[in-house]
Amino acid sequence: GINAEYGSTIAVYGMVDIIRDDSPLEPLTTYGNTKICCEKLLADYHRKQFLVGAGGRVPVVVLRPDGNRAASNCFNAVMREPLLGKDYGLPTPWTARGPLGSWSNVIDCLIHLHEVIRKPGNPGDAWYEEGQRVDKAFGPSRMVGFPARSFSMRELYDETVKYAKTKLGFTDEQIGKVYEEIDPQTAEIIRLWPKGIESARAKALGLPERIEVSDILDEFVRYHRTHGTMPNLRE
């Protein structure tokens, strides 16, 4: 049979501070609405046994090696730009907060889902009981919120400065400065976003949860060290 994984998003939720498994799906954007449509198709195809399907609702993924125009870029830039020795105008208040996941943990979650989803089969099959347990953990929606940790802009910047000085040996002059330069549209988008994720379903499925700022920054430095694109980085 076909195993299908779908990468969805926390944009399927509306104005909720903490996302839980039973949080209502009330998206504020076209993007969130289209993701819900795909989630429902996946669940229906699974119900009809066209495939064995499951999906994960992905939090804000950090740390991107370069910038983009997405509202979530500010969660990346507040760490990325100081390490690259560039100043950055933060479009949100320092108190703005969001649920973050590292790209490596998101990948590990996708791999884990691939390993645990399978058709339960018949009672005599070796994996039958495990398949029943996984199906029960998923529920009819076949979706799970990937683990995330809640960080504010201030926490991310302070941790980045600490990391740059203690692990990279940067001086104050080598670290880019971050200052508030509020963009009302971006600030409002981030204000309406969920602030954290609490998923009993993720724990029941055994999804990995390794989301420390220092680990996220380690990944970023390894990328730039490999590509030689961080000129102020000392070996």
Side-chain angles (χ1 to χ4, degrees), residues 174-189:
Q174 290 176 291
I175 303 170
K177 304 298 187 289
V178 175
Y179 52 91
E180 279 192 6
E181 194 175 70
I182 303 297
D183 174 67
Q185 183 176 6
T186 301
E188 181 65 6
I189 291 172

Side-chain angles (χ1 to χ4, degrees), residues 5-235:
E5 288 182 65
Y6 179 61
S8 191
T9 170
I10 59 172
V12 298
Y13 301 101
M15 296 173 61
V16 295
D17 277 347
I18 304 298
I19 296 170
R20 296 181 173 85
D21 293 330
D22 58 352
S23 294
L25 303 181
E26 298 175 344
L28 303 173
T29 63
T30 301
Y31 175 65
N33 275 301
T34 56
K35 285 291 190 179
I36 287 179
C37 292
C38 294
E39 288 185 11
K40 291 188 177 298
L41 284 172
L42 179 77
D44 197 46
Y45 291 170
H46 178 86
R47 179 182 63 83
K48 292 183 175 180
Q49 298 185 11
F50 294 161
L51 49 75
V52 179
R57 293 174 180 144
V58 178
V60 178
V61 179
V62 291
L63 177 57
R64 293 179 60 94
D66 52 12
N68 60 25
R69 292 190 174 186
S72 60
N73 179 62
C74 55
F75 287 102
N76 289 273
V78 74
M79 294 185 283
R80 179 183 62 240
E81 302 307 308
L83 285 184
L84 295 177
K86 301 177 182 178
D87 295 344
Y88 175 64
L90 183 65
T92 70
W94 281 107
T95 54
R97 179 176 292 276
L100 308 186
S102 69
W103 61 263
S104 62
N105 197 73
V106 169
I107 291 172
D108 287 344
C109 285
L110 289 169
I111 293 171
H112 185 82
L113 281 189
H114 177 75
E115 293 173 346
V116 300
I117 63 170
R118 58 171 68 187
K119 190 173 181 179
N122 300 311
D125 295 334
W127 63 84
Y128 178 76
E129 289 187 8
E130 178 65 10
Q132 291 288 322
R133 185 191 70 79
V134 169
D135 269 10
K136 183 178 179 180
F138 266 117
S141 77
R142 302 299 296 177
M143 300 300 299
V144 58
F146 279 1
R149 286 190 60 189
S150 180
F151 293 102
S152 71
M153 297 296 180
R154 172 59 69 183
E155 290 167 342
L156 294 173
Y157 177 67
D158 287 348
E159 285 292 319
T160 300
V161 171
K162 177 182 175 182
Y163 176 93
K165 291 181 176 180
T166 59
K167 294 201 69 172
L168 301 179
F170 283 9
T171 64
D172 287 333
E173 290 71 27
Q174 290 176 291
I175 303 170
K177 304 298 187 289
V178 175
Y179 52 91
E180 279 192 6
E181 194 175 70
I182 303 297
D183 174 67
Q185 183 176 6
T186 301
E188 181 65 6
I189 291 172
I190 301 301
R191 185 186 71 82
L192 296 175
W193 278 5
K195 307 300 184 289
I197 299 175
E198 294 179 2
S199 177
R201 190 173 298 161
K203 290 181 172 61
L205 290 166
L207 294 184
E209 187 174 357
R210 295 181 299 278
I211 310 164
E212 299 292 340
V213 174
S214 59
D215 294 334
I216 291 169
L217 295 173
D218 279 342
E219 293 172 356
F220 178 79
V221 169
R222 280 197 299 270
Y223 173 88
H224 280 282
R225 181 170 279 158
T226 300
H227 292 82
T229 49
M230 195 170 175
N232 58 341
L233 178 62
R234 298 193 314 208
E235 290 289 346

